[in-house]
Amino acid sequence: MQKKLTTTLILVLSFVLLMSGCGSDNQSQNTTQDNATQTETNETEAVSGASQASYTPIDQLKDKYDVIIIGAGGAGMTAALEAKENGMNPVIFEKMAAAGGNTNKSSSGMNASETKFQQEQNIEDSNDLFYKETLKGGKNTNDTDLLRYFVDHSASAIDWLDSKGISLNNLTITGGMSVKRTHRPEDGSAVGQFLVNGLVRNVQEQDIPLFVNADVKEITEKDGKVTGVKVLLNGEEEKTIEASAVIVATGGYGANMELIAEVRPDLKGLVTTNQEGSTGDGIKMIEALGGTTVDMDQIQVHPTVQQEQSYLIGEAVRGEGGILVSSEGKRFTNELDTRDNVTAAINKLPEKSAYIVFDSGVKSRVKAIQQYEEMGFVIQGDSIEALAKEINVPADQLQATLDTWNEAVKNKEDAEFGRTTGMDNDLSTGPFYAIKIAPGIHYTMGGVKINTNTEVLTTDGQPIPGLFAAGEVIGGLHGSNRIGGNSVGDIIVFGYQAGVKAAEYVKAQ
Ligand code: ADP
């Protein structure tokens, strides 16, 4: 194992050296740069989710496994690790050229309550409060069984990740939450790449085969029981692979514009933050077996997306103190209201876009901002006046907006818009910064119906034997509005459960 890790380390470092000579405007380089920092600080972080060296060569594919996991995002890799832990011989098929899915892009963190990290930092929280606030955020339309299970298992999911060397011990807050329960990496960086790298490393250490360019086309069944999948390898050869259980972890349909236009014609034309593999394949395959769906028209539009590159600007920028201003240089909403409300407020502006404005303090607390800077999104001014000039808003007004805001922070009272969170620090340390944003399609709350055992259900509520699903592919947990930070919690809690329950099922056969 040590030898394998060292070989991978050398390969990744060579790749990093090679890439550091290239242009600076693409995301893969930023991924690589993040990996480079991690390799310097911690050798065990060396395996990159984006490195080809991580994946299993196709000639090692067998005809039969205990459990097949479709999709190598956060839910799929968690499920695979737990299936293995429970004595299974699992395999993961990923249709893209690299693992990670939308998980790789997630920024804010992972929401969880009553965790050891909250306790260590004297943050008072309860599962009941987490439940209540998520239900309120979802407008009381969440599947309450799934939600109860989710909050009650969120702390153990944080512990499970910690036991795998994936520690999320830096706490922040996202829209709709009243306490700091969004767990992120120690240095405050985006959670996605850190999580994916950590999961890939564990999958590799456990010798779980992970095949990329392996596009699952169909889930096979006999007499109502799942028997395996048909998978297209490298776009050339289709193979039928047998298994007693299949876990569908194919993510959402946020990149399937046809399906979105069908279920939500009003969202036509918006940009999407989704990776191109998020096309809802799992939903179609499950429907073909009689599985049912819920909330398919519930699609989350994220309020803060950089439009030219469809890149999400994480809620942590606002959670750590950033404000939103219009082209008039004025605030216009509680920036940490739920995503649907902030989106609606931006859409009411004549320009239908806004600037996130922040200072050097926010920049130092949110590591992801460095990445936004490398991608060319961040506009800088040494003073507020200089920034106002750069973004073409009235300087007097921007100054007045910041003065009023800093006064609100000092008095812990936002008389204008009633914001109560993300007010630990004011915006007074230059240089000052702005990022232009507008809403974009981000997350699909709808999906297949499961129970708390992650069993996929038919229209009459019966489990389909041997068929499990977890992650963004499922519907109901988030209701009509997902809270930022809840999807990472979702994929770990239910990915874990899918691994355990699929193993139990296989053993009972
Ligand atoms: P989650 O957050 O639920 O884990 P992600 O989007 O992170 O979801 O990961 C889902 C993964 O599943 C993506 O990497 C996606 O490319 C992959 N995927 C989607 N459809 C298929 C398919 N038909 N076969 C194999 N992999 C798939």
Side-chain angles (χ1 to χ4, degrees):
M1 190 76 260
Q2 188 56 43
K3 187 163 171 251
K4 199 169 170 189
L5 267 178
T6 314
T7 315
T8 313
L9 179 67
I10 292 167
L11 277 170
V12 171
L13 278 173
S14 321
F15 185 54
V16 168
L17 285 173
L18 200 74
M19 288 301 288
S20 57
C22 303
S24 66
D25 62 345
N26 67 38
Q27 198 190 339
S28 64
Q29 188 192 1
N30 292 317
T31 311
T32 314
Q33 283 170 343
D34 277 3
N35 290 338
T37 318
Q38 282 166 15
T39 3
E40 276 156 27
T41 50
N42 180 355
E43 191 181 326
T44 59
E45 291 293 326
V47 177
S48 161
S51 161
Q52 285 300 319
S54 314
Y55 307 119
T56 314
I58 210 74
D59 59 6
Q60 288 182 24
L61 179 62
K62 302 203 174 86
D63 295 334
K64 197 171 177 199
Y65 295 87
D66 293 328
V67 182
I68 291 172
I69 294 108
I70 317 176
M77 289 193 282
T78 301
L81 285 166
E82 220 25 52
K84 179 91 181 195
E85 180 76 29
N86 284 272
M88 295 291 102
N89 171 25
V91 63
I92 311 174
F93 291 129
E94 166 56 52
K95 77 170 171 180
M96 304 303 286
N102 273 347
T103 304
N104 206 31
K105 293 183 141 202
S106 61
S107 54
S108 298
M110 167 169 161
N111 288 343
S113 49
E114 299 187 22
T115 70
K116 63 176 178 188
F117 297 128
Q118 284 180 314
Q119 271 155 29
E120 276 167 22
Q121 293 167 44
N122 296 319
I123 295 165
E124 259 184 56
D125 197 4
S126 73
N127 294 346
D128 286 349
L129 186 64
F130 186 17
Y131 177 94
K132 213 172 106 194
E133 291 179 355
T134 301
L135 193 59
K136 186 170 172 236
K139 299 192 178 64
N140 282 303
T141 58
N142 312 58
D143 179 320
T144 49
D145 290 341
L146 291 182
L147 179 56
R148 190 73 243 177
Y149 187 90
F150 168 64
V151 298
D152 287 347
H153 292 80
S154 61
S156 52
I158 288 283
D159 290 342
W160 181 82
L161 285 174
D162 197 32
S163 77
K164 305 276 173 224
I166 306 167
S167 292
L168 301 176
N169 57 359
N170 178 332
L171 283 144
T172 189
I173 197 161
T174 58
M177 304 270 99
S178 70
V179 291
K180 287 191 176 182
R181 63 168 69 101
T182 308
H183 295 66
R184 50 186 187 164
E186 183 147 31
D187 64 359
S189 58
V191 72
Q193 288 165 8
F194 179 75
L195 180 60
V196 167
N197 289 346
L199 289 173
V200 170
R201 184 182 73 238
N202 277 277
V203 162
Q204 207 181 35
E205 280 171 5
Q206 294 302 317
D207 285 327
I208 297 170
L210 194 178
F211 296 98
V212 293
N213 299 311
D215 188 354
V216 175
K217 294 292 184 191
E218 188 183 329
I219 301 168
T220 57
E221 57 97 31
K222 190 161 186 262
D223 303 329
K225 275 187 175 181
V226 161
T227 56
V229 301
K230 287 186 180 166
V231 57
L232 181 66
L233 303 163
N234 293 320
E236 288 165 357
E237 186 194 2
E238 189 168 278
K239 275 199 167 177
T240 301
I241 311 293
E242 282 177 50
S244 306
V246 170
I247 300 173
V248 182
T250 47
Y253 47 95
N256 188 335
M257 292 312 175
E258 232 170 78
L259 181 54
I260 288 177
E262 199 181 295
V263 292
R264 283 290 299 276
D266 58 310
L267 300 182
K268 240 176 150 176
L270 284 189
V271 300
T272 180
T273 63
N274 283 238
Q275 64 109 18
E276 62 178 286
S278 299
T279 45
D281 303 6
I283 295 170
K284 288 174 235 157
M285 291 190 277
I286 284 173
E287 280 181 327
L289 292 180
T292 193
T293 58
V294 287
D295 297 344
M296 287 297 285
D297 59 346
Q298 296 301 332
I299 292 168
Q300 180 163 71
V301 174
H302 195 289
T304 59
V305 178
Q306 199 278 346
Q307 296 290 294
E308 284 70 27
Q309 292 194 46
S310 307
Y311 202 87
L312 188 134
I313 306 302
E315 224 146 293
V317 183
R318 287 169 281 145
E320 290 296 332
I323 58 170
L324 290 173
V325 302
S326 68
S327 62
E328 293 183 333
K330 291 182 183 165
R331 284 180 69 219
F332 53 92
T333 187
N334 166 5
E335 294 84 354
L336 284 169
D337 201 341
T338 49
R339 291 176 171 179
D340 54 345
N341 287 339
V342 179
T343 296
I346 296 169
N347 283 335
K348 267 200 207 137
L349 297 171
E351 62 273 27
K352 294 191 182 343
S353 65
Y355 286 100
I356 311 182
V357 171
F358 52 96
D359 73 345
S360 297
V362 174
K363 193 176 172 217
S364 68
R365 292 189 295 278
V366 185
K367 206 181 161 223
I369 294 173
Q370 275 176 29
Q371 187 172 333
Y372 306 150
E373 204 164 39
E374 283 158 19
M375 296 176 85
F377 303 161
V378 182
I379 304 160
Q380 180 179 334
D382 287 338
S383 61
I384 292 166
E385 194 187 350
L387 181 67
K389 214 170 156 198
E390 289 292 331
I391 61 176
N392 201 21
V393 303
D396 293 356
Q397 181 57 58
L398 189 62
Q399 183 69 58
T401 298
L402 279 157
D403 290 346
T404 310
W405 172 247
N406 288 340
E407 207 45 34
V409 169
K410 195 165 113 204
N411 301 327
K412 294 270 169 279
E413 184 167 6
D414 172 24
E416 282 182 295
F417 299 104
R419 174 165 161 180
T420 54
T421 56
M423 297 174 77
D424 292 348
N425 300 282
D426 67 9
L427 299 176
S428 58
T429 319
F432 296 89
Y433 304 93
I435 301 176
K436 189 172 185 187
I437 54 85
I441 288 166
H442 181 49
Y443 187 89
T444 47
M445 268 93 58
V448 298
K449 191 163 172 58
I450 60 161
N451 57 22
T452 55
N453 288 332
T454 66
E455 294 167 307
V456 174
L457 304 177
T458 60
T459 26
D460 53 3
Q462 294 306 309
I464 299 173
L467 190 57
F468 301 83
E472 195 176 343
V473 69
I474 70 115
L477 174 66
H478 306 289
S480 59
N481 177 59
R482 181 179 65 87
I483 295 290
N486 273 3
S487 64
V488 179
D490 173 7
I491 61 184
I492 307 301
V493 168
F494 289 104
Y496 180 99
Q497 174 76 330
V500 171
K501 291 297 165 186
E504 266 175 26
Y505 172 85
V506 172
K507 285 178 194 165
Q509 294 310 296

